[in-house]
Amino acid sequence: RGIDQCDRIPYQQVAIQQPIEVLTPRLNITTTGPSVVNVGDALHYTVTQTNSGDTTLDNITTTITATTGEKFSWQDGALAPGEQRNKTLTLAVPAGTRQKNLSIDYTATATATIADIGVTTYTTPVSGTSKFNSTLAISQSANYALGYGPYPLRAWEVSAMRIFWQVEDFTNDLTNVTLQATLPSQVEWTGHSAVTQGGAMSYDPSTRTVTWHTSSIPSFSHPQGASFEVRVLPNSDQVGKNINLINDLRFSARDSFTGTVLVRTVGALRTDQVIQPEQ
């Protein structure tokens, strides 16, 4: 129909009376947060809203959706051209959570109303991930019943006992696992040891360092570790005191999921009773 009318209705150029204003509304959001965390830690995420356009934006609504099922949504007021606004959110995974290769993925989006014309504009979604290191419980203990000699320990008399190291409650696969500790001067390495896996325990007399190493420990397996025998010869200056059987226990391993080298220290293992005087 329009083509039919072309020969009967002449084209007319209409002059524009006022300049046309072209608006370029731009709302951008970015997020920052931890890439690797520990279970039980508070996770702080910062969302930044930026008006990079040339017109005011109203009714800005931001939404963050996490794979945990949690959804955060809030509304802010006007944001002038060039203005920027930050908001920090805190999320916590309960310390008792036990899950292999635990991670939180989240996606953030925002909308705003273009003040001049009442039209809604949308941001491009942004996403991120927080991975959780393996949980760990490391301990050392002494068993006097598996040894010989006086108990409680007595000055200038030898007592033997078994020292146990244990690693448990790990949720991610671990590699390059090492436990190390030094022996005090009054403690002697006997060479009797046992391990749950990995190589045999070793002792360096020059540094008095006892070491247990294994290449890997799979997640959620039974407690792993090692045990070894020591002989203790307290002296008279230690009478009435608790003494170190083993100095600080140092643990290190690589978390296969997060890539983090996990390092822990357990305080010195001490006698549970004071040294008795010689008879």
Side-chain angles (χ1 to χ4, degrees), residues 28-66:
N28 298 316
I29 59 170
T30 58
T31 62
T32 58
S35 58
V36 177
V37 292
N38 295 316
V39 171
D41 287 352
L43 287 67
H44 301 291
Y45 297 95
T46 299
V47 180
T48 302
Q49 306 165 338
T50 303
N51 185 345
S52 58
D54 58 6
T55 185
T56 298
L57 300 174
D58 287 328
N59 303 320
I60 299 172
T61 301
T62 305
T63 302
I64 295 181
T65 305

PDB file of all heavy atoms in Angstrom, residues 28-66:
ATOM      1  N   ASN A  28      27.592  -0.969  35.504  1.00  0.00           N
ATOM      2  CA  ASN A  28      28.512  -2.106  35.589  1.00  0.00           C
ATOM      3  C   ASN A  28      28.629  -2.550  37.037  1.00  0.00           C
ATOM      4  O   ASN A  28      28.577  -1.718  37.954  1.00  0.00           O
ATOM      5  CB  ASN A  28      29.905  -1.724  35.069  1.00  0.00           C
ATOM      6  CG  ASN A  28      29.878  -1.319  33.617  1.00  0.00           C
ATOM      7  OD1 ASN A  28      29.241  -1.963  32.791  1.00  0.00           O
ATOM      8  ND2 ASN A  28      30.550  -0.225  33.291  1.00  0.00           N
ATOM      9  N   ILE A  29      28.819  -3.852  37.237  1.00  0.00           N
ATOM     10  CA  ILE A  29      29.109  -4.350  38.573  1.00  0.00           C
ATOM     11  C   ILE A  29      30.325  -5.264  38.506  1.00  0.00           C
ATOM     12  O   ILE A  29      30.567  -5.938  37.500  1.00  0.00           O
ATOM     13  CB  ILE A  29      27.919  -5.106  39.210  1.00  0.00           C
ATOM     14  CG1 ILE A  29      27.499  -6.302  38.339  1.00  0.00           C
ATOM     15  CG2 ILE A  29      26.769  -4.188  39.508  1.00  0.00           C
ATOM     16  CD1 ILE A  29      26.503  -7.202  39.047  1.00  0.00           C
ATOM     17  N   THR A  30      31.099  -5.243  39.565  1.00  0.00           N
ATOM     18  CA  THR A  30      32.228  -6.156  39.725  1.00  0.00           C
ATOM     19  C   THR A  30      32.169  -6.731  41.135  1.00  0.00           C
ATOM     20  O   THR A  30      31.574  -6.129  42.041  1.00  0.00           O
ATOM     21  CB  THR A  30      33.579  -5.448  39.526  1.00  0.00           C
ATOM     22  OG1 THR A  30      33.694  -4.366  40.471  1.00  0.00           O
ATOM     23  CG2 THR A  30      33.704  -4.902  38.105  1.00  0.00           C
ATOM     24  N   THR A  31      32.765  -7.899  41.320  1.00  0.00           N
ATOM     25  CA  THR A  31      32.801  -8.513  42.644  1.00  0.00           C
ATOM     26  C   THR A  31      34.228  -8.924  42.978  1.00  0.00           C
ATOM     27  O   THR A  31      35.006  -9.300  42.102  1.00  0.00           O
ATOM     28  CB  THR A  31      31.907  -9.760  42.714  1.00  0.00           C
ATOM     29  OG1 THR A  31      32.380 -10.743  41.782  1.00  0.00           O
ATOM     30  CG2 THR A  31      30.465  -9.411  42.407  1.00  0.00           C
ATOM     31  N   THR A  32      34.573  -8.820  44.237  1.00  0.00           N
ATOM     32  CA  THR A  32      35.850  -9.330  44.732  1.00  0.00           C
ATOM     33  C   THR A  32      35.566 -10.182  45.960  1.00  0.00           C
ATOM     34  O   THR A  32      34.678  -9.867  46.760  1.00  0.00           O
ATOM     35  CB  THR A  32      36.812  -8.197  45.120  1.00  0.00           C
ATOM     36  OG1 THR A  32      36.195  -7.365  46.114  1.00  0.00           O
ATOM     37  CG2 THR A  32      37.172  -7.352  43.905  1.00  0.00           C
ATOM     38  N   GLY A  33      36.284 -11.272  46.083  1.00  0.00           N
ATOM     39  CA  GLY A  33      36.094 -12.172  47.215  1.00  0.00           C
ATOM     40  C   GLY A  33      37.216 -13.176  47.275  1.00  0.00           C
ATOM     41  O   GLY A  33      38.036 -13.265  46.349  1.00  0.00           O
ATOM     42  N   PRO A  34      37.308 -13.949  48.347  1.00  0.00           N
ATOM     43  CA  PRO A  34      38.399 -14.910  48.502  1.00  0.00           C
ATOM     44  C   PRO A  34      38.267 -16.066  47.524  1.00  0.00           C
ATOM     45  O   PRO A  34      37.177 -16.591  47.312  1.00  0.00           O
ATOM     46  CB  PRO A  34      38.235 -15.386  49.948  1.00  0.00           C
ATOM     47  CG  PRO A  34      36.772 -15.207  50.231  1.00  0.00           C
ATOM     48  CD  PRO A  34      36.358 -13.985  49.475  1.00  0.00           C
ATOM     49  N   SER A  35      39.391 -16.465  46.942  1.00  0.00           N
ATOM     50  CA  SER A  35      39.377 -17.610  46.034  1.00  0.00           C
ATOM     51  C   SER A  35      39.577 -18.919  46.778  1.00  0.00           C
ATOM     52  O   SER A  35      39.099 -19.971  46.348  1.00  0.00           O
ATOM     53  CB  SER A  35      40.456 -17.451  44.957  1.00  0.00           C
ATOM     54  OG  SER A  35      41.737 -17.313  45.550  1.00  0.00           O
ATOM     55  N   VAL A  36      40.291 -18.862  47.912  1.00  0.00           N
ATOM     56  CA  VAL A  36      40.524 -20.050  48.739  1.00  0.00           C
ATOM     57  C   VAL A  36      40.322 -19.664  50.204  1.00  0.00           C
ATOM     58  O   VAL A  36      40.870 -18.659  50.663  1.00  0.00           O
ATOM     59  CB  VAL A  36      41.946 -20.617  48.541  1.00  0.00           C
ATOM     60  CG1 VAL A  36      42.181 -21.798  49.460  1.00  0.00           C
ATOM     61  CG2 VAL A  36      42.167 -21.021  47.090  1.00  0.00           C
ATOM     62  N   VAL A  37      39.539 -20.467  50.930  1.00  0.00           N
ATOM     63  CA  VAL A  37      39.245 -20.179  52.335  1.00  0.00           C
ATOM     64  C   VAL A  37      39.241 -21.486  53.120  1.00  0.00           C
ATOM     65  O   VAL A  37      39.317 -22.575  52.551  1.00  0.00           O
ATOM     66  CB  VAL A  37      37.883 -19.465  52.498  1.00  0.00           C
ATOM     67  CG1 VAL A  37      37.917 -18.071  51.935  1.00  0.00           C
ATOM     68  CG2 VAL A  37      36.785 -20.285  51.823  1.00  0.00           C
ATOM     69  N   ASN A  38      39.124 -21.356  54.428  1.00  0.00           N
ATOM     70  CA  ASN A  38      38.989 -22.509  55.307  1.00  0.00           C
ATOM     71  C   ASN A  38      37.554 -22.621  55.791  1.00  0.00           C
ATOM     72  O   ASN A  38      36.859 -21.609  55.965  1.00  0.00           O
ATOM     73  CB  ASN A  38      39.914 -22.373  56.523  1.00  0.00           C
ATOM     74  CG  ASN A  38      41.382 -22.382  56.143  1.00  0.00           C
ATOM     75  OD1 ASN A  38      41.822 -23.184  55.332  1.00  0.00           O
ATOM     76  ND2 ASN A  38      42.145 -21.472  56.729  1.00  0.00           N
ATOM     77  N   VAL A  39      37.093 -23.836  56.001  1.00  0.00           N
ATOM     78  CA  VAL A  39      35.751 -24.053  56.542  1.00  0.00           C
ATOM     79  C   VAL A  39      35.661 -23.373  57.908  1.00  0.00           C
ATOM     80  O   VAL A  39      36.555 -23.499  58.743  1.00  0.00           O
ATOM     81  CB  VAL A  39      35.464 -25.560  56.673  1.00  0.00           C
ATOM     82  CG1 VAL A  39      34.159 -25.792  57.437  1.00  0.00           C
ATOM     83  CG2 VAL A  39      35.382 -26.205  55.304  1.00  0.00           C
ATOM     84  N   GLY A  40      34.582 -22.631  58.108  1.00  0.00           N
ATOM     85  CA  GLY A  40      34.396 -21.904  59.359  1.00  0.00           C
ATOM     86  C   GLY A  40      34.813 -20.455  59.296  1.00  0.00           C
ATOM     87  O   GLY A  40      34.430 -19.662  60.158  1.00  0.00           O
ATOM     88  N   ASP A  41      35.625 -20.089  58.270  1.00  0.00           N
ATOM     89  CA  ASP A  41      36.024 -18.695  58.124  1.00  0.00           C
ATOM     90  C   ASP A  41      34.852 -17.853  57.632  1.00  0.00           C
ATOM     91  O   ASP A  41      33.947 -18.347  56.951  1.00  0.00           O
ATOM     92  CB  ASP A  41      37.168 -18.564  57.111  1.00  0.00           C
ATOM     93  CG  ASP A  41      38.490 -19.063  57.644  1.00  0.00           C
ATOM     94  OD1 ASP A  41      38.554 -19.367  58.852  1.00  0.00           O
ATOM     95  OD2 ASP A  41      39.451 -19.154  56.862  1.00  0.00           O
ATOM     96  N   ALA A  42      34.861 -16.567  57.951  1.00  0.00           N
ATOM     97  CA  ALA A  42      33.896 -15.630  57.401  1.00  0.00           C
ATOM     98  C   ALA A  42      34.360 -15.210  56.010  1.00  0.00           C
ATOM     99  O   ALA A  42      35.506 -14.821  55.826  1.00  0.00           O
ATOM    100  CB  ALA A  42      33.758 -14.410  58.306  1.00  0.00           C
ATOM    101  N   LEU A  43      33.486 -15.339  55.034  1.00  0.00           N
ATOM    102  CA  LEU A  43      33.813 -14.987  53.652  1.00  0.00           C
ATOM    103  C   LEU A  43      33.263 -13.595  53.364  1.00  0.00           C
ATOM    104  O   LEU A  43      32.054 -13.366  53.476  1.00  0.00           O
ATOM    105  CB  LEU A  43      33.209 -15.988  52.667  1.00  0.00           C
ATOM    106  CG  LEU A  43      33.832 -17.373  52.555  1.00  0.00           C
ATOM    107  CD1 LEU A  43      33.631 -18.179  53.833  1.00  0.00           C
ATOM    108  CD2 LEU A  43      33.221 -18.124  51.381  1.00  0.00           C
ATOM    109  N   HIS A  44      34.132 -12.667  53.002  1.00  0.00           N
ATOM    110  CA  HIS A  44      33.716 -11.298  52.727  1.00  0.00           C
ATOM    111  C   HIS A  44      33.760 -11.035  51.220  1.00  0.00           C
ATOM    112  O   HIS A  44      34.808 -11.190  50.591  1.00  0.00           O
ATOM    113  CB  HIS A  44      34.623 -10.306  53.456  1.00  0.00           C
ATOM    114  CG  HIS A  44      34.647 -10.486  54.942  1.00  0.00           C
ATOM    115  ND1 HIS A  44      33.576 -10.199  55.752  1.00  0.00           N
ATOM    116  CD2 HIS A  44      35.626 -10.952  55.771  1.00  0.00           C
ATOM    117  CE1 HIS A  44      33.879 -10.469  57.006  1.00  0.00           C
ATOM    118  NE2 HIS A  44      35.113 -10.932  57.042  1.00  0.00           N
ATOM    119  N   TYR A  45      32.619 -10.657  50.664  1.00  0.00           N
ATOM    120  CA  TYR A  45      32.524 -10.355  49.242  1.00  0.00           C
ATOM    121  C   TYR A  45      32.126  -8.881  49.083  1.00  0.00           C
ATOM    122  O   TYR A  45      31.205  -8.406  49.748  1.00  0.00           O
ATOM    123  CB  TYR A  45      31.479 -11.234  48.553  1.00  0.00           C
ATOM    124  CG  TYR A  45      31.805 -12.705  48.586  1.00  0.00           C
ATOM    125  CD1 TYR A  45      31.285 -13.530  49.574  1.00  0.00           C
ATOM    126  CD2 TYR A  45      32.639 -13.271  47.633  1.00  0.00           C
ATOM    127  CE1 TYR A  45      31.581 -14.878  49.611  1.00  0.00           C
ATOM    128  CE2 TYR A  45      32.943 -14.623  47.657  1.00  0.00           C
ATOM    129  CZ  TYR A  45      32.413 -15.416  48.648  1.00  0.00           C
ATOM    130  OH  TYR A  45      32.716 -16.758  48.687  1.00  0.00           O
ATOM    131  N   THR A  46      32.826  -8.188  48.205  1.00  0.00           N
ATOM    132  CA  THR A  46      32.516  -6.781  47.940  1.00  0.00           C
ATOM    133  C   THR A  46      31.952  -6.647  46.534  1.00  0.00           C
ATOM    134  O   THR A  46      32.561  -7.115  45.566  1.00  0.00           O
ATOM    135  CB  THR A  46      33.762  -5.896  48.081  1.00  0.00           C
ATOM    136  OG1 THR A  46      34.248  -5.989  49.422  1.00  0.00           O
ATOM    137  CG2 THR A  46      33.431  -4.439  47.774  1.00  0.00           C
ATOM    138  N   VAL A  47      30.789  -6.020  46.435  1.00  0.00           N
ATOM    139  CA  VAL A  47      30.148  -5.753  45.148  1.00  0.00           C
ATOM    140  C   VAL A  47      30.275  -4.262  44.863  1.00  0.00           C
ATOM    141  O   VAL A  47      29.917  -3.428  45.703  1.00  0.00           O
ATOM    142  CB  VAL A  47      28.661  -6.159  45.165  1.00  0.00           C
ATOM    143  CG1 VAL A  47      28.010  -5.878  43.817  1.00  0.00           C
ATOM    144  CG2 VAL A  47      28.522  -7.638  45.531  1.00  0.00           C
ATOM    145  N   THR A  48      30.784  -3.930  43.692  1.00  0.00           N
ATOM    146  CA  THR A  48      30.962  -2.533  43.299  1.00  0.00           C
ATOM    147  C   THR A  48      30.032  -2.200  42.151  1.00  0.00           C
ATOM    148  O   THR A  48      30.063  -2.859  41.104  1.00  0.00           O
ATOM    149  CB  THR A  48      32.421  -2.259  42.883  1.00  0.00           C
ATOM    150  OG1 THR A  48      33.294  -2.584  43.971  1.00  0.00           O
ATOM    151  CG2 THR A  48      32.617  -0.802  42.501  1.00  0.00           C
ATOM    152  N   GLN A  49      29.192  -1.185  42.346  1.00  0.00           N
ATOM    153  CA  GLN A  49      28.309  -0.678  41.290  1.00  0.00           C
ATOM    154  C   GLN A  49      28.937   0.592  40.719  1.00  0.00           C
ATOM    155  O   GLN A  49      29.347   1.471  41.457  1.00  0.00           O
ATOM    156  CB  GLN A  49      26.923  -0.341  41.845  1.00  0.00           C
ATOM    157  CG  GLN A  49      26.243  -1.463  42.591  1.00  0.00           C
ATOM    158  CD  GLN A  49      25.072  -0.945  43.411  1.00  0.00           C
ATOM    159  OE1 GLN A  49      24.999   0.233  43.739  1.00  0.00           O
ATOM    160  NE2 GLN A  49      24.163  -1.848  43.759  1.00  0.00           N
ATOM    161  N   THR A  50      29.001   0.668  39.409  1.00  0.00           N
ATOM    162  CA  THR A  50      29.588   1.842  38.758  1.00  0.00           C
ATOM    163  C   THR A  50      28.657   2.341  37.661  1.00  0.00           C
ATOM    164  O   THR A  50      28.236   1.573  36.785  1.00  0.00           O
ATOM    165  CB  THR A  50      30.955   1.511  38.132  1.00  0.00           C
ATOM    166  OG1 THR A  50      31.821   0.988  39.143  1.00  0.00           O
ATOM    167  CG2 THR A  50      31.591   2.753  37.529  1.00  0.00           C
ATOM    168  N   ASN A  51      28.333   3.628  37.721  1.00  0.00           N
ATOM    169  CA  ASN A  51      27.580   4.258  36.636  1.00  0.00           C
ATOM    170  C   ASN A  51      28.596   4.845  35.665  1.00  0.00           C
ATOM    171  O   ASN A  51      29.127   5.930  35.884  1.00  0.00           O
ATOM    172  CB  ASN A  51      26.655   5.350  37.176  1.00  0.00           C
ATOM    173  CG  ASN A  51      25.770   5.952  36.093  1.00  0.00           C
ATOM    174  OD1 ASN A  51      26.015   5.763  34.897  1.00  0.00           O
ATOM    175  ND2 ASN A  51      24.750   6.686  36.505  1.00  0.00           N
ATOM    176  N   SER A  52      28.869   4.137  34.597  1.00  0.00           N
ATOM    177  CA  SER A  52      29.844   4.602  33.620  1.00  0.00           C
ATOM    178  C   SER A  52      29.184   5.293  32.432  1.00  0.00           C
ATOM    179  O   SER A  52      29.836   5.569  31.418  1.00  0.00           O
ATOM    180  CB  SER A  52      30.682   3.409  33.115  1.00  0.00           C
ATOM    181  OG  SER A  52      29.848   2.422  32.545  1.00  0.00           O
ATOM    182  N   GLY A  53      27.891   5.567  32.553  1.00  0.00           N
ATOM    183  CA  GLY A  53      27.182   6.258  31.477  1.00  0.00           C
ATOM    184  C   GLY A  53      27.090   7.752  31.709  1.00  0.00           C
ATOM    185  O   GLY A  53      27.825   8.320  32.509  1.00  0.00           O
ATOM    186  N   ASP A  54      26.156   8.390  31.012  1.00  0.00           N
ATOM    187  CA  ASP A  54      26.047   9.849  31.096  1.00  0.00           C
ATOM    188  C   ASP A  54      24.679  10.306  31.573  1.00  0.00           C
ATOM    189  O   ASP A  54      24.277  11.446  31.353  1.00  0.00           O
ATOM    190  CB  ASP A  54      26.350  10.480  29.730  1.00  0.00           C
ATOM    191  CG  ASP A  54      25.427   9.968  28.634  1.00  0.00           C
ATOM    192  OD1 ASP A  54      24.489   9.207  28.952  1.00  0.00           O
ATOM    193  OD2 ASP A  54      25.655  10.314  27.465  1.00  0.00           O
ATOM    194  N   THR A  55      23.967   9.386  32.241  1.00  0.00           N
ATOM    195  CA  THR A  55      22.665   9.768  32.786  1.00  0.00           C
ATOM    196  C   THR A  55      22.463   9.072  34.126  1.00  0.00           C
ATOM    197  O   THR A  55      23.016   7.997  34.377  1.00  0.00           O
ATOM    198  CB  THR A  55      21.524   9.386  31.818  1.00  0.00           C
ATOM    199  OG1 THR A  55      20.292   9.881  32.327  1.00  0.00           O
ATOM    200  CG2 THR A  55      21.439   7.876  31.640  1.00  0.00           C
ATOM    201  N   THR A  56      21.687   9.694  34.980  1.00  0.00           N
ATOM    202  CA  THR A  56      21.456   9.148  36.317  1.00  0.00           C
ATOM    203  C   THR A  56      20.650   7.851  36.250  1.00  0.00           C
ATOM    204  O   THR A  56      19.724   7.722  35.450  1.00  0.00           O
ATOM    205  CB  THR A  56      20.724  10.174  37.188  1.00  0.00           C
ATOM    206  OG1 THR A  56      21.543  11.333  37.319  1.00  0.00           O
ATOM    207  CG2 THR A  56      20.429   9.614  38.572  1.00  0.00           C
ATOM    208  N   LEU A  57      21.028   6.905  37.113  1.00  0.00           N
ATOM    209  CA  LEU A  57      20.315   5.633  37.210  1.00  0.00           C
ATOM    210  C   LEU A  57      19.634   5.556  38.564  1.00  0.00           C
ATOM    211  O   LEU A  57      20.210   5.904  39.590  1.00  0.00           O
ATOM    212  CB  LEU A  57      21.291   4.462  37.043  1.00  0.00           C
ATOM    213  CG  LEU A  57      22.045   4.418  35.710  1.00  0.00           C
ATOM    214  CD1 LEU A  57      23.079   3.301  35.731  1.00  0.00           C
ATOM    215  CD2 LEU A  57      21.075   4.227  34.545  1.00  0.00           C
ATOM    216  N   ASP A  58      18.372   5.092  38.567  1.00  0.00           N
ATOM    217  CA  ASP A  58      17.582   4.982  39.796  1.00  0.00           C
ATOM    218  C   ASP A  58      17.249   3.520  40.082  1.00  0.00           C
ATOM    219  O   ASP A  58      17.389   2.637  39.230  1.00  0.00           O
ATOM    220  CB  ASP A  58      16.273   5.762  39.665  1.00  0.00           C
ATOM    221  CG  ASP A  58      16.489   7.263  39.722  1.00  0.00           C
ATOM    222  OD1 ASP A  58      17.422   7.690  40.426  1.00  0.00           O
ATOM    223  OD2 ASP A  58      15.728   7.989  39.065  1.00  0.00           O
ATOM    224  N   ASN A  59      16.769   3.285  41.311  1.00  0.00           N
ATOM    225  CA  ASN A  59      16.221   1.971  41.696  1.00  0.00           C
ATOM    226  C   ASN A  59      17.157   0.821  41.314  1.00  0.00           C
ATOM    227  O   ASN A  59      16.750  -0.130  40.635  1.00  0.00           O
ATOM    228  CB  ASN A  59      14.846   1.758  41.050  1.00  0.00           C
ATOM    229  CG  ASN A  59      13.870   2.859  41.418  1.00  0.00           C
ATOM    230  OD1 ASN A  59      13.845   3.311  42.567  1.00  0.00           O
ATOM    231  ND2 ASN A  59      13.084   3.303  40.448  1.00  0.00           N
ATOM    232  N   ILE A  60      18.388   0.914  41.738  1.00  0.00           N
ATOM    233  CA  ILE A  60      19.368  -0.118  41.385  1.00  0.00           C
ATOM    234  C   ILE A  60      19.148  -1.338  42.278  1.00  0.00           C
ATOM    235  O   ILE A  60      19.219  -1.255  43.504  1.00  0.00           O
ATOM    236  CB  ILE A  60      20.798   0.417  41.541  1.00  0.00           C
ATOM    237  CG1 ILE A  60      20.995   1.615  40.606  1.00  0.00           C
ATOM    238  CG2 ILE A  60      21.820  -0.676  41.254  1.00  0.00           C
ATOM    239  CD1 ILE A  60      22.297   2.336  40.813  1.00  0.00           C
ATOM    240  N   THR A  61      18.865  -2.464  41.657  1.00  0.00           N
ATOM    241  CA  THR A  61      18.624  -3.713  42.369  1.00  0.00           C
ATOM    242  C   THR A  61      19.724  -4.711  42.028  1.00  0.00           C
ATOM    243  O   THR A  61      19.934  -5.030  40.851  1.00  0.00           O
ATOM    244  CB  THR A  61      17.255  -4.306  42.006  1.00  0.00           C
ATOM    245  OG1 THR A  61      16.228  -3.365  42.327  1.00  0.00           O
ATOM    246  CG2 THR A  61      17.010  -5.605  42.773  1.00  0.00           C
ATOM    247  N   THR A  62      20.434  -5.175  43.031  1.00  0.00           N
ATOM    248  CA  THR A  62      21.539  -6.115  42.843  1.00  0.00           C
ATOM    249  C   THR A  62      21.162  -7.458  43.457  1.00  0.00           C
ATOM    250  O   THR A  62      20.612  -7.509  44.562  1.00  0.00           O
ATOM    251  CB  THR A  62      22.826  -5.587  43.490  1.00  0.00           C
ATOM    252  OG1 THR A  62      23.107  -4.285  42.962  1.00  0.00           O
ATOM    253  CG2 THR A  62      24.003  -6.509  43.200  1.00  0.00           C
ATOM    254  N   THR A  63      21.473  -8.522  42.763  1.00  0.00           N
ATOM    255  CA  THR A  63      21.143  -9.873  43.230  1.00  0.00           C
ATOM    256  C   THR A  63      22.363 -10.768  43.098  1.00  0.00           C
ATOM    257  O   THR A  63      23.029 -10.781  42.063  1.00  0.00           O
ATOM    258  CB  THR A  63      19.982 -10.477  42.423  1.00  0.00           C
ATOM    259  OG1 THR A  63      18.841  -9.622  42.530  1.00  0.00           O
ATOM    260  CG2 THR A  63      19.621 -11.871  42.943  1.00  0.00           C
ATOM    261  N   ILE A  64      22.672 -11.509  44.177  1.00  0.00           N
ATOM    262  CA  ILE A  64      23.745 -12.508  44.153  1.00  0.00           C
ATOM    263  C   ILE A  64      23.134 -13.860  44.482  1.00  0.00           C
ATOM    264  O   ILE A  64      22.444 -14.015  45.497  1.00  0.00           O
ATOM    265  CB  ILE A  64      24.860 -12.172  45.152  1.00  0.00           C
ATOM    266  CG1 ILE A  64      25.557 -10.875  44.761  1.00  0.00           C
ATOM    267  CG2 ILE A  64      25.873 -13.302  45.232  1.00  0.00           C
ATOM    268  CD1 ILE A  64      26.690 -10.486  45.677  1.00  0.00           C
ATOM    269  N   THR A  65      23.378 -14.821  43.624  1.00  0.00           N
ATOM    270  CA  THR A  65      22.875 -16.174  43.820  1.00  0.00           C
ATOM    271  C   THR A  65      24.048 -17.121  43.977  1.00  0.00           C
ATOM    272  O   THR A  65      24.961 -17.131  43.145  1.00  0.00           O
ATOM    273  CB  THR A  65      22.006 -16.611  42.634  1.00  0.00           C
ATOM    274  OG1 THR A  65      20.956 -15.650  42.436  1.00  0.00           O
ATOM    275  CG2 THR A  65      21.395 -17.975  42.890  1.00  0.00           C
ATOM    276  N   ALA A  66      24.053 -17.906  45.060  1.00  0.00           N
ATOM    277  CA  ALA A  66      25.134 -18.852  45.332  1.00  0.00           C
ATOM    278  C   ALA A  66      24.655 -20.275  45.122  1.00  0.00           C
ATOM    279  O   ALA A  66      23.457 -20.568  45.190  1.00  0.00           O
ATOM    280  CB  ALA A  66      25.639 -18.685  46.762  1.00  0.00           C
TER     281      ALA A  66
END
